[in-house]
Amino acid sequence: MGTSFVIIFMLMTVLVVAEMKADEVEGVRSFSRLDFPLPPHFVFGSSTSSYQVEGAAFEDGRKPSIWDTYAHSGYTNGANGDIACDEYHKYKEDVHLMVETGLEAYRFSISWSRLIPNGTGAVNPKGLQYYNNLINELINHGIEPHVTLFHYDTPQILEDEYGGWLSKKTVKAFVAYANICFREFGDRVLHWTTFNEPNVFAHYGYDLGLFQPSRCSSPFGTNCVGGNSSTEPYIVAHNILLAHAATARLYFKKYKAEQHGLIGLDVYAYWYVPYTNAPEDVIATQRAFDFFIGWFLNPLVHGDYPDVMKKNAETRIPTFTKLESRLVKGSFDFLGLNHYSTIQVEDMSINLQMDVRDFTEDMALPYNPSGLRELLEYMKNYGNPPIYIYENGQSTIRNETLHDVPRLRYIQGYIGSLLDALRSGSNARGYFIWSFLDVFELLDGFESGYGLYYVDLDDKNLKRYPKLSAQWYSNFLKGRSHQVIEISPNISYLSQSQFSQ
């Protein structure tokens, strides 16, 4: 994802106090790759997603997803992912950069509407060929593919025909799509994630209307294309949990014994801290965890939603049948976490007095922007499951500078925090930087960038340039550097030859 959620929460008119700088959180650390477990026990990589990096939106049989529709409706500063970073054509070049960087794994997503353009039915041979080529290229160069099946990109045809994730028909269609992916790629892919950030997708796509498919209702959202903020986020989340469980059970039953892969689900996770030590804020902080993380992790671990969610949302949140509860509970081998920042929580229980509420009012708190180690410690409450940090990174304005010392220090600080967590008994298995390239971002298109590599959009070949953060990460991965690099502020670009030295 890689979006600045501080901006989003300001749009939500909630209290934002202060974002903590990463270098202030962790300070300068001294460590190396050798301080961490080696593959396969722990991997370092980087992430992207299909719509944000592939381009070729209208080529070789691909049909639109809801992300195409969203971007072409003017929500992302007039930009879109029609071309993006053109990894569809440049995947060999990008894998070469991954090898040069020293990545041990690459997390990417499959475009459902590229592989199965109508959402159901016939497989697109060109789409199938592309993902086979990408996976083979990665494996041939010793890079482990981590595949996400859904990253905010429901085929538009299913949105039009079924209402997308509001319908259980999409659950059935997703399981059929996943089955094709397991069948075609599972002999080489050992790490499958069903859904990326379904908690964010449901909340921002169906409550606030800020993400695709832009569904919401007044007064909770603006620029809505229809919807009901009070009920639809809960319905969508419920259907996604059922789709995940059915997909995982399919994999366990049909493929796991032969392919020996792992399957999980990935949630967006802040670390929450109370705004004050007042009991109300402490309770509100736990409520934040229950609503934003427990919404998905509680059913996966315990078979039902957190009690506070059922109490506050009442009949607006669906109920699991006994069979559904058994299917959802334990339907994962690992969990993914996307983590960027820490939020301070202040109690807003007064919101519960409103007659008409949405997910945000049910949660009854505002937000404020650090805490990977604390978050991983908190995950022990869910049995300390295997965890992959699938997204962590820092955004900067795309001003063509490669001198991204703040991002370099951010990455080092969070890797140091991760090392502390591992030494404290965390079951983390991997860390992935968002993002490998400056991709098309969800909120602001190409105005900001999280990439280790800058992509020159004015160059017809979309040339990639390594930033300082890429150099530091490469040196770290190769065991050549374990401290923050001191760089002259006069340096603004690094050439490829400089990077390679």
Side-chain angles (χ1 to χ4, degrees):
M1 172 188 281
T3 305
S4 174
F5 278 86
V6 176
I7 297 174
I8 298 174
F9 286 122
M10 290 176 68
L11 292 172
M12 292 166 57
T13 66
V14 298
L15 177 63
V16 177
V17 180
E19 183 174 7
M20 301 175 68
K21 295 181 180 178
D23 53 334
E24 293 175 352
V25 176
E26 296 295 345
V28 174
R29 300 293 305 273
S30 178
F31 52 82
S32 74
R33 174 65 182 92
L34 296 179
D35 289 311
F36 293 81
L38 297 177
H41 306 292
F42 193 97
V43 294
F44 281 93
S46 191
S47 298
T48 62
S49 83
S50 57
Y51 186 73
Q52 295 177 270
V53 74
E54 284 179 4
F58 307 108
E59 293 186 37
D60 292 342
R62 180 188 181 276
K63 289 188 176 181
S65 73
I66 59 172
W67 207 334
D68 294 87
T69 303
Y70 175 83
H72 280 271
S73 298
Y75 288 102
T76 50
N77 292 328
N80 57 63
D82 291 358
I83 299 175
C85 302
D86 198 27
E87 189 167 273
Y88 185 77
H89 297 109
K90 298 172 72 68
Y91 71 92
K92 289 187 176 182
E93 175 184 332
D94 287 342
V95 172
H96 175 76
L97 288 180
M98 294 174 202
V99 173
E100 192 169 70
T101 306
L103 294 193
E104 298 161 357
Y106 178 52
R107 177 201 178 217
F108 64 95
S109 73
I110 291 175
S111 168
W112 187 349
S113 56
R114 187 184 298 283
L115 186 64
I116 308 175
N118 291 321
T120 60
V123 174
N124 174 19
K126 292 290 188 179
L128 181 64
Q129 180 183 17
Y130 169 70
Y131 291 113
N132 270 319
N133 289 344
L134 174 59
I135 291 167
N136 290 341
E137 192 74 12
L138 290 167
I139 290 176
N140 290 341
H141 288 86
I143 299 174
E144 190 175 275
H146 285 236
V147 175
T148 299
L149 295 173
F150 181 85
H151 197 117
Y152 293 168
D153 53 352
T154 317
Q156 184 62 47
I157 191 169
L158 298 187
E159 190 74 22
D160 296 337
E161 291 185 3
Y162 303 156
W165 287 105
L166 291 167
S167 170
K168 284 187 169 57
K169 291 182 179 179
T170 301
V171 173
K172 183 178 180 180
F174 179 82
V175 176
Y177 154 62
N179 183 55
I180 290 170
C181 292
F182 299 151
R183 184 187 72 203
E184 299 294 339
F185 312 127
D187 58 330
R188 289 151 292 158
V189 174
L190 298 180
H191 295 83
W192 295 97
T193 302
T194 52
F195 292 89
N196 174 77
E197 300 176 346
N199 49 345
V200 173
F201 178 69
H203 188 191
Y204 295 94
Y206 292 84
D207 181 358
L208 305 175
L210 291 173
F211 290 0
Q212 59 272 33
S214 306
R215 294 186 62 83
C216 54
S217 59
S218 179
F220 309 109
T222 59
N223 300 319
C224 311
V225 298
N228 185 329
S229 295
S230 293
T231 60
E232 289 190 358
Y234 296 112
I235 295 170
V236 167
H238 196 77
N239 286 338
I240 285 176
L241 278 164
L242 296 179
H244 162 81
T247 299
R249 298 301 177 187
L250 167 70
Y251 187 79
F252 295 155
K253 181 178 180 179
K254 188 174 180 180
Y255 295 101
K256 190 175 181 67
E258 180 179 352
Q259 297 180 355
H260 308 293
L262 304 171
I263 191 165
L265 180 143
D266 180 32
V267 299
Y268 190 97
Y270 297 102
W271 175 245
Y272 294 107
V273 295
Y275 184 52
T276 72
N277 290 327
E280 294 84 358
D281 289 350
V282 173
I283 293 170
T285 300
Q286 183 57 54
R287 190 165 64 244
F289 281 114
D290 286 337
F291 263 81
F292 212 65
I293 300 174
W295 193 7
F296 284 84
L297 299 195
N298 264 59
L300 291 176
V301 174
H302 302 302
D304 200 3
Y305 296 113
D307 290 340
V308 68
M309 292 193 75
K310 294 187 290 184
K311 176 184 176 182
N312 288 5
E314 298 177 320
T315 59
R316 291 178 289 114
I317 190 168
T319 301
F320 290 107
T321 66
K322 289 183 178 181
L323 175 59
E324 289 172 342
S325 179
R326 289 198 301 269
L327 290 174
V328 172
K329 183 178 180 179
S331 59
F332 65 95
D333 294 305
F334 67 87
L335 295 173
L337 296 178
N338 295 352
H339 174 73
Y340 291 86
S341 60
T342 290
I343 299 293
Q344 287 181 326
V345 177
E346 183 181 16
D347 179 58
M348 293 288 286
S349 293
I350 191 173
N351 292 349
L352 297 175
Q353 299 176 19
M354 299 171 58
D355 291 332
V356 180
R357 302 195 305 269
D358 68 339
F359 177 90
T360 303
E361 308 300 344
D362 292 336
M363 191 161 29
L365 48 93
Y367 304 83
N368 161 47
S370 224
L372 181 55
R373 180 180 63 82
E374 289 87 350
L375 178 61
L376 290 171
E377 186 70 23
Y378 182 83
M379 292 302 294
K380 293 177 182 178
N381 294 324
Y382 291 101
N384 200 22
I387 290 172
Y388 289 89
I389 308 301
Y390 271 142
E391 291 186 22
N392 177 247
Q394 186 184 61
S395 173
T396 57
I397 297 173
R398 282 181 59 98
N399 56 6
E400 302 184 7
T401 181
L402 305 182
H403 190 261
D404 63 339
V405 171
R407 177 183 289 110
L408 181 159
R409 288 176 172 160
Y410 176 102
I411 292 168
Q412 187 196 45
Y414 275 90
I415 291 178
S417 183
L418 173 60
L419 180 58
D420 290 341
L422 286 169
R423 288 172 172 171
S424 296
S426 169
N427 201 11
R429 303 291 181 87
Y431 172 87
F432 293 69
I433 291 174
W434 183 273
S435 52
F436 185 64
L437 306 173
D438 278 343
V439 300
F440 172 82
E441 284 295 341
L442 183 55
L443 272 185
D444 58 7
F446 297 107
E447 296 298 313
S448 66
Y450 285 77
L452 295 169
Y453 287 81
Y454 170 75
V455 179
D456 187 353
L457 301 177
D458 294 324
D459 176 63
K460 66 178 182 179
N461 294 316
L462 297 174
K463 186 172 176 61
R464 284 83 156 118
Y465 294 90
K467 303 177 188 177
L468 294 179
S469 56
Q471 182 181 15
W472 183 90
Y473 197 43
S474 178
N475 285 329
F476 166 77
L477 293 175
K478 297 172 183 177
R480 293 204 298 254
S481 175
H482 55 268
Q483 291 183 349
V484 169
I485 304 171
E486 296 297 331
I487 300 295
S488 167
N490 296 321
I491 298 175
S492 59
Y493 283 89
L494 286 177
S495 69
Q496 186 66 45
S497 60
Q498 286 174 297
F499 172 77
S500 301
Q501 290 176 352

